[in-house]
Amino acid sequence: MSLPPEKASELKQLIHQQLSKMDVHGRIREILAETIREELAPDQQHLSTEDLIKALRRRGIIDDVMKELNFVTDSVEQELPSSPKQPICFERQSTLKKTNIDPTRRYLYLQVLGGKAFLEHLQEPEPLPGQVCSTFTLCLHYRNQRFRSKPVPCACEPDFHDGFLLEVHRESLGDGTRMADSTTMLSISDPIHMVLIKTDIFGETTLVASYFLEWRSVLGSENGVTSLTVELMGVGTESKVSVGILNIKLEMYPPLNQTLSQEVVNTQLALERQKTAEKERLFLVYAKQWWREYLQIRPSHNSRLVKIFAQDENGINRPVCSYVKPLRAGRLLDTPRQAARFVNVLGYERAPVIGGGGKQEQWCTLLAFLCRNKGDCEDHANLLCSLLLGYGLEAFVCVGTKAKGVPHAWVMTCGTDGTITFWESLTGHRYIHKPTNPDEPPVAEQPKPLYPYRTVGCVFNHQMFLGNCQPSDAVETCVFDLNDESKWKPMSEEAIKSVCAPGATTSLPPFPPLCASTIDASVTSNEIEMQLRLLVSEHRKDLGLTTVWEDQLSYLLSPALASYEFERTTSISAGNEEFQDAIRRAVPDGHTFKGFPIHFVYRNARRAFATCLRSPFCEEIICCRGDQVRLAVRVRVFTYPESACAVWIMFACKYRSVL
């Protein structure tokens, strides 16, 4: 991209001023004279440009100039976390903008230089220019910083070429403002979490791999630069199968003054692994003892859903308490109910299983769940519980069953006045729990439960785990007095803290911050609406019907859609009176109005239209026949963090009633 002449001259002037200020020209002359005197052979007539640049670099002139200049990076498809620290990511083919690089901080520059051996895509043809194809996207998280690569076409050797600048800092012990040295960085055990997502031509996402990169090998490398070959393994039932290889280069910036020996780095990593293994072993011994005691209370406890460990996407068993942690959404979500709505609009998908049989167990790490934008009920419940804990509520994940004994997880909050509220993370609904008393006489009126839950085996959060030891595990008769050990058997909080507290073990995946939506709600709403108009017109044309759209009627549907979303978020209905009054004014006497609202959590217009046609009410509107038929459609997209969205669509028609 060429600069305008006035900008180019301005840039040249700024560079000249900076070089003059540092007296770079004078220093170059001195070095040139010195180099000619000391290094030029008698038979050599001139000094090459390469020789001069080497001499300048050896004496640190180039490094000094680079430190004085402001760095720029490419504008990328960059996720914006709710924390004040913004991730910096280099990417090609985009406009330049300034970054917030702090010259007093240490950075790790991670480059992904292509992939190979993605054998599932061995037969994939080369995509034609402009052709829609499946893509890979690499998502990274490191110490509250998140990054996303640009999508690349799926292939046996995907063309990943991205760089990510990760800030390495120590926030404790008063070291937050100092540049981290080799010894300090060696003590920072957080890995770089890498998640590979595949997006198909319909926009559906699949979790391909989840990998924790140990980056500290670079501290023992010469010049603080090292290259790695990372083998990515599959997820769930395929966690022992390789899906592909990534070539990665790591580089410290500014370069390290002194590197550690590889032996020191390896010893530190071995000690951390040993310490983690010992803590996990001791917790396992304690958990077995706790379970034996729990079974001795009542033999029937063996059939209750008391889940102490759960497998993550890599097939690793982890304590369930490690999947929950107080999570603050910054300014992205304002209320607990808005948080519940956000979790609700994330897609629901059970873990894939090969062949028939029971449900495949897979509790995803938070980064994998957020990057895929969908997950199972346990993933939704863990995220909602974490957000509610962040809002200062006493929240727990409940593990139990729904109707027909289907295993399920939901969230419970305990009010200071003893009120127990259930939160269904898949729908956003809330239910007040009032236990029934089984000892009451049959004529006594008992509260009828509105929630879909049948049994509860255990409840947990980041600090507590309690097994239900009441005579019956039926939710409707359960008393949720968690301090009563005759009803709820607790685990030792110290034991839980030893393996689940932040930094307790190096095997715990750090929690990423939420990222703001990258979707433009107005533009997306308009695009979907235009596509639906085209689909409706084509559908009616196939039926031999003409289509006349009324823009004013479409516009009048907007308040209704906003009201529906407000009600989903707050459980308060508002604005219906104005909408009904406007519709009455817009529909003349002797005419009939029909409207059909529907809600989706995806943005695929064709898929939404196919779903709408399956409803007889909606089909009746779209295929309306009569005199003076006027059609209307309105789409309203409500965006949430992580580019999740609630899509409301309303089809409507008005026509003259002919008897």
Side-chain angles (χ1 to χ4, degrees), residues 473-486:
D473 62 352
V475 177
E476 59 184 9
T477 61
C478 269
V479 176
F480 287 89
D481 180 3
L482 303 181
N483 295 317
D484 187 345
E485 294 193 13
S486 67

Side-chain angles (χ1 to χ4, degrees), residues 346-547:
L346 291 169
Y348 169 63
E349 181 183 79
R350 293 179 63 173
V353 59
I354 300 172
K359 175 185 173 182
Q360 168 67 29
E361 164 150 306
Q362 182 179 304
W363 290 31
C364 282
T365 55
L366 182 55
L367 184 67
F369 176 39
L370 293 176
C371 293
R372 190 169 54 140
N373 247 219
K374 58 185 177 184
D376 213 333
C377 61
E378 293 88 357
D379 303 325
H380 286 78
N382 290 335
L383 174 56
L384 178 55
C385 183
S386 298
L387 288 167
L388 296 183
L389 287 167
Y391 281 111
L393 301 179
E394 188 179 10
F396 297 86
V397 175
C398 302
V399 179
T401 62
K402 292 194 296 185
K404 300 181 182 176
V406 177
H408 190 61
W410 66 97
V411 178
M412 171 185 79
T413 52
C414 307
T416 51
D417 58 353
T419 303
I420 301 297
T421 307
F422 293 148
W423 302 64
E424 177 47 62
S425 57
L426 296 180
T427 63
H429 293 158
R430 299 165 65 254
Y431 309 96
I432 303 297
H433 171 64
K434 293 179 180 175
T436 59
N437 187 351
D439 299 326
E440 287 280 336
V443 293
E445 189 177 345
Q446 297 275 19
K448 189 176 180 181
L450 300 173
Y451 44 76
Y453 319 121
R454 294 291 177 267
T455 66
V456 56
C458 64
V459 301
F460 67 87
N461 62 18
H462 62 302
Q463 293 175 327
M464 300 170 69
F465 182 95
L466 302 111
N468 184 0
C469 52
Q470 295 171 65
S472 169
D473 62 352
V475 177
E476 59 184 9
T477 61
C478 269
V479 176
F480 287 89
D481 180 3
L482 303 181
N483 295 317
D484 187 345
E485 294 193 13
S486 67
K487 293 181 171 62
W488 295 91
K489 179 173 172 56
M491 266 195 173
S492 160
E493 290 189 27
E494 285 300 316
I496 293 170
K497 194 184 293 184
S498 70
V499 289
C500 296
T505 64
T506 54
S507 63
L508 275 185
F511 267 48
L514 295 183
C515 289
S517 177
T518 57
I519 297 170
D520 186 317
S522 301
V523 171
T524 308
S525 300
N526 201 49
E527 286 175 353
I528 298 173
E529 192 170 305
M530 291 300 104
Q531 291 170 28
L532 287 175
R533 282 196 175 200
L534 190 62
L535 290 166
V536 170
S537 299
E538 288 176 351
H539 186 74
R540 287 176 62 83
K541 187 178 178 182
D542 292 341
L543 298 174
L545 300 171
T546 58
T547 306

